[in-house]
Amino acid sequence: MVSKNAVLKDMFYGGDYNPEQWSEDVWQDDMRLMKKAGVNIVSVGIFSWAVLQTSPDTYDFGWLDRMMDLLAQNGIYADLATATASPPAWMARHYPDSLPVDENGVRYSQGARQHYCPNSKAFRLLAAKLVRKLAERYKHHPALAMWHINNEYGCHISRCYCDQCAAEFRVWLQKRYGTLDELNARWGTNFWSQKYYDWEEIGLPRKTPTYPNPGQDLDYARFMSDSLLECYLTEYRILREETPGIPIMTNFMGFFKPLDYFEWAKHMDVVTWDSYPEPTAGIPVGAAMAHDLMRSLKGGEPFILMEQVTSQVNWRRHNPVKRPGVMRLWSYQTVARGGDGVMFFQWRQSRAGAEKFHGAMVSHTGDENSRVYREVEQLGNELKRLTPVVGSRVKAKVAILFDWHNWWALELSSKPNWDVRYVEQIAHYYKPLFEQNIAVDFVQPTGDLSGYSVVFAPTLYMVEPGVKENLESYVAGGGTLLTTFFSGMVDENDRIHLGGYPAPLRKLLGLTVEELDPMLPEQTNRIVVSGLAPEADGEYECSLWADVIRLEGAQALAAFAEDFYAGGPAVTVNAFGSGKAYYVGTRGEESFTSRLVAKVLADAGVQAPLAAEPGVEVQCREKEDQRFVFVLNHLPRPASITLPAGEHRELIGGEALSGTLELAPNGVAVMQLAP
Ligand code: GLA
Ligand code: ZN
């Protein structure tokens, strides 16, 4: 793996740059405005395939040569795109089967972007040819700092149902299962007469009369993530060979269901991602959660925010602007959570095309005379002062288990309650952690848990081989685990773990779930909490789901108040080895979950870096013996925070701080704490 700081040691600051949309006299002004705004890197030519390659055998690199030289002359680096995200029209014409097909068998047309089948031989070959040419041409160019492969894989087309994909799926299945007998057993094909006698009989889960086979559906999700990854790797291998010292990546999209980013991240030198929270929906807890996930993909290595918008997007039905100060505040949230760079889509707002109303660093005013540019300029020049933070890490004592395969399996069709959505359940536990300013890592269920005091595992529906042992040894060794309803249900093929729910976790949790009682949307129950903590005891509403629980060693902390299981356990804790395992058999109202989380953290001795009122975000990054504390005021009013003893250095303004820190609305402080 190559460090992203191989070339550039400061915070990355810049954006997607599409100079092919502008005449070359505009480029000169771009350079001036970039330097004024503190831009040090731009992602060049992401959608420029059609201007780089004018036919199957003719290329035109002249404009890119001039652009790369211009960047180098101006001291700005290129995150050079491989440009394969949107194939030229000639490809669709010469290779119509490079176009993807939907589940109804309808072929997509050229004319937007991302119109390629991930298993198309023509697409892969032509992409590889272009990438080789780009790498050979620019490998020694002084502006080249990083490779940007393709763009947001799967964003529009994450599934293709064409015949090439079906053929490749069969190859993938043969590799995975070896024999048809094994496949039939894993997919449970004696159900509904689905048994296969020849590999050729197996297709993709195209349009079926009712629920498709869940095992097939799940493997198709795995196969599609792998197929797109193979597209990435085809380019990656070429770039690695030609430029062994240049970092390579593609941009992720946070909690993006179709791609198993833990698997993908193994092949990325740095994780980068694109974040577009709704600008006026309040504190961006969802973005914080995604930053934490992105940081976690490579075990806590800093990531780069590859795209965000300065002002407004154009793809929601209604697109309000980010209010003054919000872009800056949220940019610091990125850095606080492990970002070593903040970039935008895009540099200059387009004149034509489907994104002309999408915000940019330079708006349609075309110059520096806009609020947006002024904010961009301020932030870019501030970030120059954060070089000491680059490379520092967030050290979390709390982990949330997260797994794409669990996500896919949990949300397959024909479930007891279709409203149980994985990311919502994760967010239900993440939110109180965020509000209590507790740093969180996301870890796969088979990952190393030894460094964590508390592990949350909401709706861990799928328990794959190794997970039971991992959780048991973590808790036995003194860890605290909290899991919830609809966990431990199925194996890696979505087959029930027999032996009483949640079979693989029963011993650890000290209980059996006898029945599942999913609730109607308008239905609620209540839980009576006693013996958890004085501040948590009382009565709360619950919804979505109720488990009928039989204790087998665990202790009840709350009981349902209504229905035939009134008085039955709703929340339990079990002593296991030197640790504890909590189980929550329903979805408690937020105030309950928040108090439960606070109690679990307090017992485990986990604390926020600084005490602050809700709405004031505090996160800490560490490097060697230096500690950087970020304080962000999301409140519409001033906030004051009591600082630890000593004189601390505030990096943005450069002044010394002690006693109390006062922050205006949208205000930010980045303090290097006194040793
Ligand atoms: C994505 C893409 C960009 C652009 C933005 C608009 O993140 O990567 O090319 O379309 O969305 O928000
Ligand atoms: Zn296909």
Side-chain angles (χ1 to χ4, degrees):
M1 290 284 134
V2 180
S3 159
K4 70 173 191 319
N5 298 116
V7 182
L8 183 52
K9 297 194 169 45
D10 300 321
M11 288 276 158
F12 284 34
Y13 192 66
D16 278 28
Y17 184 33
N18 302 305
E20 68 276 16
Q21 294 177 14
W22 299 94
S23 63
E24 298 195 15
D25 54 309
V26 177
W27 298 4
Q28 297 297 335
D29 212 36
D30 284 336
M31 296 303 119
R32 179 183 72 80
L33 290 168
M34 283 180 190
K35 285 189 286 187
K36 189 165 149 62
V39 166
N40 53 23
I41 185 164
V42 285
S43 304
V44 190
I46 292 177
F47 295 99
S48 65
W49 193 345
V51 296
L52 287 174
Q53 191 176 1
T54 50
S55 80
D57 0 76
T58 48
Y59 294 85
D60 174 10
F61 293 107
W63 67 272
L64 189 53
D65 291 351
R66 292 191 292 283
M67 173 45 65
M68 290 291 280
D69 292 349
L70 191 62
L71 288 170
Q73 283 154 24
N74 285 280
I76 297 166
Y77 284 108
D79 161 36
L80 186 56
T82 62
T84 55
S86 193
W90 54 253
M91 190 188 303
R93 179 172 160 230
H94 293 295
Y95 306 95
D97 68 1
S98 67
L99 293 165
V101 169
D102 76 7
E103 61 167 359
N104 300 307
V106 177
R107 213 171 263 288
Y108 288 90
S109 306
Q110 182 274 338
R113 65 174 173 183
Q114 211 173 74
H115 44 275
Y116 57 85
C117 156
N119 287 301
S120 157
K121 300 240 168 1
F123 169 74
R124 290 231 192 134
L125 279 172
L126 284 157
K129 227 173 120 189
L130 174 65
V131 172
R132 177 74 68 183
K133 285 201 181 292
L134 282 166
E136 283 171 352
R137 196 170 186 97
Y138 299 109
K139 63 180 164 189
H140 299 305
H141 200 285
L144 179 66
M146 186 157 80
W147 288 110
H148 189 300
I149 292 188
N150 200 281
N151 190 64
E152 291 192 342
Y153 275 104
C155 164
H156 309 298
I157 299 288
S158 61
R159 299 191 147 203
C160 177
Y161 297 84
C162 79
D163 292 339
Q164 301 166 94
C165 285
E168 289 303 324
F169 186 44
R170 288 187 282 271
V171 173
W172 185 94
L173 290 168
Q174 285 179 19
K175 238 199 240 154
R176 188 173 170 93
Y177 298 120
T179 66
L180 268 179
D181 282 349
E182 185 64 15
L183 176 136
N184 279 313
R186 299 287 191 126
W187 286 7
T189 52
N190 280 355
F191 179 80
W192 281 356
S193 180
Q194 290 167 351
K195 191 162 180 172
Y196 296 106
Y197 293 94
D198 189 310
W199 290 100
E200 289 304 309
E201 291 162 3
I202 303 172
L204 303 173
R206 291 181 177 135
K207 194 91 187 147
T208 47
T210 181
Y211 313 124
N213 179 298
Q216 178 187 13
D217 226 6
L218 180 58
D219 278 340
Y220 177 64
R222 291 182 170 123
F223 164 70
M224 270 296 146
S225 178
D226 285 359
S227 297
L228 283 159
L229 178 57
E230 202 42 51
C231 291
Y232 171 84
L233 288 174
T234 303
E235 299 192 21
Y236 176 92
R237 289 183 198 112
I238 296 167
L239 297 173
R240 183 49 87 234
E241 183 192 324
E242 296 283 352
T243 56
I246 299 289
I248 306 169
M249 56 85 209
T250 185
N251 45 341
F252 287 168
M253 290 169 280
F255 284 84
F256 180 66
K257 189 175 170 185
L259 305 185
D260 177 0
Y261 283 155
F262 274 115
E263 190 54 39
W264 280 65
K266 292 177 187 162
H267 311 282
M268 309 255 299
D269 291 323
V270 51
V271 168
T272 78
W273 84 285
D274 304 342
S275 175
Y276 291 95
E278 211 293 315
T280 52
I283 302 177
V285 183
M289 182 162 105
H291 287 316
D292 291 349
L293 177 67
M294 296 294 103
R295 185 192 67 240
S296 301
L297 294 175
K298 285 183 78 67
E301 273 179 37
F303 62 92
I304 291 170
L305 181 62
M306 185 50 60
E307 292 181 24
Q308 64 168 344
V309 71
T310 50
S311 55
Q312 71 212 125
V313 300
N314 65 308
W315 41 260
R316 293 195 177 91
R317 196 172 167 89
H318 309 285
N319 298 289
V321 294
K322 285 180 182 165
R323 271 36 198 174
V326 168
M327 181 278 281
R328 175 178 180 267
L329 178 68
W330 294 5
S331 298
Y332 281 107
Q333 180 188 62
T334 303
V335 180
R337 295 187 168 273
D340 270 2
V342 172
M343 301 176 68
F344 300 88
F345 178 85
Q346 65 174 322
W347 165 249
R348 185 180 281 274
Q349 191 167 20
S350 297
R351 177 176 188 190
E355 295 189 315
K356 57 186 171 295
F357 291 110
H358 192 289
M361 299 167 83
V362 176
S363 338
H364 282 150
T365 61
D367 56 19
E368 56 266 71
N369 297 311
S370 69
R371 171 188 71 85
V372 164
Y373 182 86
R374 284 190 292 275
E375 291 197 20
V376 164
E377 181 184 1
Q378 183 194 338
L379 179 65
N381 287 295
E382 285 180 5
L383 287 178
K384 291 178 182 167
R385 301 173 205 145
L386 263 61
T387 303
V389 176
V390 171
S392 62
R393 301 258 190 150
V394 173
K395 301 252 166 83
K397 298 306 290 174
V398 172
I400 296 180
L401 298 190
F402 190 80
D403 182 50
W404 263 266
H405 299 247
N406 185 58
W407 190 356
W408 297 333
L410 177 72
E411 296 183 5
L412 291 169
S413 56
S414 64
K415 288 299 188 315
N417 187 341
W418 299 14
D419 289 343
V420 177
R421 309 306 289 175
Y422 188 39
V423 176
E424 273 177 39
Q425 296 309 311
I426 296 284
H428 184 70
Y429 286 87
Y430 181 85
K431 191 166 174 230
L433 291 163
F434 174 86
E435 287 170 349
Q436 293 165 38
N437 286 321
I438 303 299
V440 178
D441 285 343
F442 288 92
V443 181
Q444 287 177 289
T446 47
D448 179 7
L449 303 176
S450 56
Y452 300 103
S453 305
V454 180
V455 172
F456 292 88
T459 46
L460 189 62
Y461 169 72
M462 175 186 282
V463 168
E464 294 184 83
V467 172
K468 167 189 192 291
E469 295 73 14
N470 195 36
L471 299 183
E472 286 186 353
S473 81
Y474 165 69
V475 179
T480 299
L481 175 79
L482 185 150
T483 187
T484 72
F485 64 90
F486 216 34
S487 292
M489 302 298 294
V490 298
D491 69 6
E492 68 275 29
N493 294 101
D494 201 42
R495 294 176 302 185
I496 294 290
H497 282 300
L498 297 177
Y501 309 137
L505 306 179
R506 269 180 60 197
K507 210 171 103 207
L508 174 59
L509 298 168
L511 53 76
T512 293
V513 175
E514 283 190 11
E515 279 187 84
L516 318 174
D517 190 26
M519 297 188 203
L520 297 171
E522 61 280 8
Q523 194 182 336
T524 57
N525 198 327
R526 284 173 301 123
I527 52 174
V528 181
V529 182
S530 69
L532 177 60
E535 62 285 4
D537 288 353
E539 220 171 285
Y540 300 87
E541 195 176 273
C542 65
S543 56
L544 196 66
W545 189 284
D547 277 333
V548 182
I549 296 172
R550 186 173 72 224
L551 299 178
E552 289 167 343
Q555 172 201 343
L557 299 170
F560 288 106
E562 292 163 14
D563 224 313
F564 74 94
Y565 37 84
V571 181
T572 65
V573 64
N574 190 43
F576 186 87
S578 358
K580 283 192 245 185
Y582 287 84
Y583 185 76
V584 185
T586 185
R587 184 189 190 280
E589 64 176 282
E590 280 189 14
S591 63
F592 168 70
T593 306
S594 173
R595 286 169 197 164
L596 173 66
V597 166
K599 157 75 178 158
V600 169
L601 295 176
D603 282 357
V606 179
Q607 276 181 337
L610 284 182
E613 61 180 308
V616 177
E617 183 177 346
V618 182
Q619 282 288 307
C620 187
R621 288 182 66 169
E622 300 176 35
K623 183 160 82 176
E624 288 128 29
D625 55 350
Q626 304 172 76
R627 298 184 72 212
F628 305 97
V629 173
F630 290 71
V631 187
L632 317 175
N633 184 13
H634 294 283
L635 299 168
R637 52 187 154 77
S640 60
I641 298 97
T642 308
L643 298 177
E647 197 168 85
H648 317 290
R649 195 161 67 90
E650 205 284 323
L651 296 182
I652 305 171
E655 71 270 28
L657 288 179
S658 56
T660 304
L661 168 70
E662 307 286 344
L663 281 182
N666 296 332
V668 174
V670 182
M671 291 174 296
Q672 181 165 358
L673 289 194

